[in-house]
Amino acid sequence: MATTTTPFESFFHQWLDRQETLLSQLLDALSPEKPEEGDHQLAALIEQSLSHYRLYYREKSAAASRDGPCLFLSPPWLSSFERSLLWLGEFRPSTVFTLLRRVVPDLTPDQIRAVEAVRAETRREERMLTEAMAAIQESIASPAMLGLVRRTASQIDGERPQVDEAVDSLKSAMLSVMLIADSLRGVTVAGMVEALSPVQTAAFLVAAAEFQLSVRRWGRERDEQRVAR
C-alpha cells in the first residue's frame, strides 16, 4: 500500500540533494589546487553550509509544531538504521566532538580549552533533556493516566475531553523538549565552530555531511535488502 509523503519529507529530500552539492563544493574548495580566491570561496561555502542547517531546523520546527512531535521523534522517511541512532529525533549533539577529533587532530591548546568548554556544557544539557523526556514518558504510564484511559474505554461521560487534554499536554511537553534539543545542536556547532579556523571548520562540515549521507545510504541499502528477501 502506498504511503503518503508529508510536505516536510519532500523538503527533506530536496535538502539532502543540496547537502550533497554543498559537500562537493567544500571538497573542491579544500583541494590543494584551489585558486587564489579560494579563501573567500571557502568562507562563503561555510556560511552557505551553516545556513543550510539553519534552514533545515526552521522547517522542522514549523512542521513539528503543526503536525506534532511524534512523527519527528521517529521519522518514517529515515531508514531503520538511521532511526536506531537517534536521540530525541536527531543526532546526539556531542557526536560532533567525535567527528572533530577524527578530522582536526591538530587543535591548539587554546582551541582545545574552548572546545572542551562547549563539550562540557553540551553534555550537561544532554543529560537534562534526556531526564526531561524520560519523565514525560513515565507520566504516560502513570496510574492517573492509565485510570483515565480505562474510564474513557468504559465510555464514562465527560472523560473523553480529559483524555484529549492530557494527551495534548504530553505532546506539547514532548515538542518542547525536542525543539530545545534541536536548539542545543545548533548552539553546540556554533560554539565549536567559533573556536576553529575556516579550513578546520570546512573539514568538520565535510566530515559531518559525509557521515550523514553515508549512514543514510547504507541504511537504505540495508532496508532494501531486507525487503527483497
Side-chain angles (χ1 to χ4, degrees):
M1 183 172 61
T3 58
T4 301
T5 300
T6 66
F8 182 83
E9 182 176 356
S10 298
F11 161 80
F12 179 63
H13 292 314
Q14 295 172 359
W15 186 89
L16 282 177
D17 289 341
R18 176 60 177 159
Q19 181 81 324
E20 291 183 345
T21 299
L22 286 169
L23 170 59
S24 178
Q25 292 174 338
L26 281 169
L27 286 169
D28 287 344
L30 288 172
S31 170
E33 294 80 22
K34 67 180 182 179
E36 291 297 324
E37 64 272 15
D39 289 345
H40 299 292
Q41 180 192 25
L42 187 60
L45 285 172
I46 288 171
E47 179 53 34
Q48 288 178 41
S49 183
L50 294 174
S51 294
H52 191 53
Y53 283 110
R54 289 193 288 267
L55 170 64
Y56 170 83
Y57 285 110
R58 283 199 304 271
E59 291 292 326
K60 179 186 173 186
S61 175
S65 298
R66 181 184 64 246
D67 301 331
C70 297
L71 187 67
F72 294 87
L73 289 171
S74 184
W77 49 83
L78 298 184
S79 67
S80 55
F81 179 63
E82 288 174 290
R83 289 195 295 272
S84 74
L85 302 177
L86 298 183
W87 173 83
L88 302 183
E90 291 278 349
F91 69 89
R92 187 177 285 272
S94 55
T95 301
V96 302
F97 301 104
T98 302
L99 288 174
L100 181 65
R101 285 195 298 270
R102 291 176 181 173
V103 298
V104 187
D106 56 343
L107 294 175
T108 67
D110 285 345
Q111 286 178 316
I112 291 173
R113 283 191 291 272
V115 169
E116 280 301 306
V118 177
R119 188 188 69 82
E121 179 62 18
T122 296
R123 294 300 296 272
R124 187 183 73 83
E125 294 289 341
E126 283 182 349
R127 288 193 294 271
M128 291 176 60
L129 289 168
T130 297
E131 292 170 0
M133 184 59 80
I136 294 170
Q137 292 171 335
E138 288 174 5
S139 70
I140 295 174
S142 66
M145 176 62 80
L146 292 176
L148 190 57
V149 171
R150 289 194 198 98
R151 291 195 299 274
T152 302
S154 301
Q155 299 295 316
I156 296 178
D157 292 341
E159 298 288 358
R160 170 62 68 179
Q162 293 181 38
V163 172
D164 292 342
E165 182 178 344
V167 170
D168 287 344
S169 178
L170 288 171
K171 287 182 178 180
S172 178
M174 292 169 68
L175 175 64
S176 177
V177 171
M178 189 188 76
L179 294 181
I180 293 172
D182 284 347
S183 176
L184 177 61
R185 294 177 181 102
V187 169
T188 297
V189 170
M192 188 181 68
V193 164
E194 188 175 346
L196 303 179
S197 71
V199 171
Q200 290 171 330
T201 298
F204 163 73
L205 291 172
V206 164
E210 288 180 335
F211 175 74
Q212 178 187 28
L213 294 170
S214 62
V215 165
R216 178 163 180 78
R217 184 162 46 250
W218 189 84
R220 294 183 70 182
E221 290 174 356
R222 187 179 177 184
D223 283 352
E224 290 170 359
Q225 292 170 359
R226 185 181 296 112
V227 171
R229 288 174 186 168

